[in-house]
Amino acid sequence: MPDNDFATVNSLSATAASTAALPLSSGAWTLDPLHSAVNFTIRHLGIAKVRGRFTEVEAGLYVGNTLADVQVTATVSLASIDTGNADRDAHTRSADLLDVERRPTMAFRSTGVSGADEDWSMAGELTIGDVTRPVTLDVEFGGLVDVPMDGSRHAGFEATGEIRRSDFGLDFGTGLLGDVVKIQLDMQFVEPREPQDQAG
């Protein structure tokens, strides 16, 4: 068999494998905000943890024919921070820390997905204010379920990772607050009613 025929067969095999690895229907999946959460943990004084969340998030998941076509985007309102303490939240929103007037959002855009079955890895870019840095998330696929109330199909994911706030110019409180922020995302997406392939 000529070399170019071998290349064609290998290319088709790779595409088929990538397509088979995708457990989701093609199309634009929408976020279920009532069953999704953006949580974080940061060290305080090096001896304890402060836990919090962001309550306002928009996200989308596009599934194409191969893993290379998968795209995830998310935008978080930084002013929606909630650590369970109103005074602490107000200070965190101020110019000392997040400075939400200058940095209203945090945005994520995926650049690549790999994995199989339940365990996946997602590379992407995180932008806070005018600073963009690469970030990698470990993603656990929780599975698919049909919701009996409306017949919609939901997919569940848990994603974990960490960033350094100093990488984004958020270095206030060194010694009081840790530099590493651990992220935990619990996300549900709803299957498109009429799944479409990439060309659709």
Side-chain angles (χ1 to χ4, degrees), residues 17-140:
S18 298
T19 303
L22 293 174
L24 307 178
S25 300
S26 298
W29 292 61
T30 56
L31 183 70
D32 176 0
L34 295 180
H35 300 98
S36 299
V38 177
N39 303 303
F40 67 89
T41 304
I42 187 170
R43 284 279 181 181
H44 179 246
L45 298 176
I47 59 173
K49 295 178 181 179
V50 173
R51 303 178 188 275
R53 61 175 185 152
F54 292 96
T55 61
E56 296 179 15
V57 56
E58 297 179 356
L61 165 64
Y62 176 78
V63 178
N65 294 325
T66 71
L67 288 180
D69 300 322
V70 174
Q71 298 175 358
V72 176
T73 58
T75 302
V76 175
S77 169
L78 294 179
S80 71
I81 190 170
D82 178 10
T83 66
N85 182 289
D87 290 338
R88 179 169 58 205
D89 293 344
H91 184 217
T92 303
R93 295 185 189 102
S94 74
D96 284 344
L97 287 167
L98 292 178
D99 193 0
V100 297
E101 290 189 6
R102 189 166 67 88
R103 306 183 186 97
T105 62
M106 171 172 59
F108 174 81
R109 180 182 69 87
S110 67
T111 56
V113 178
S114 60
D117 300 324
E118 297 180 354
D119 298 320
W120 300 78
S121 179
M122 177 177 294
E125 295 178 339
L126 183 67
T127 300
I128 302 177
D130 57 358
V131 179
T132 300
R133 294 286 185 267
V135 63
T136 299
L137 300 174
D138 294 324
V139 181
E140 179 181 343

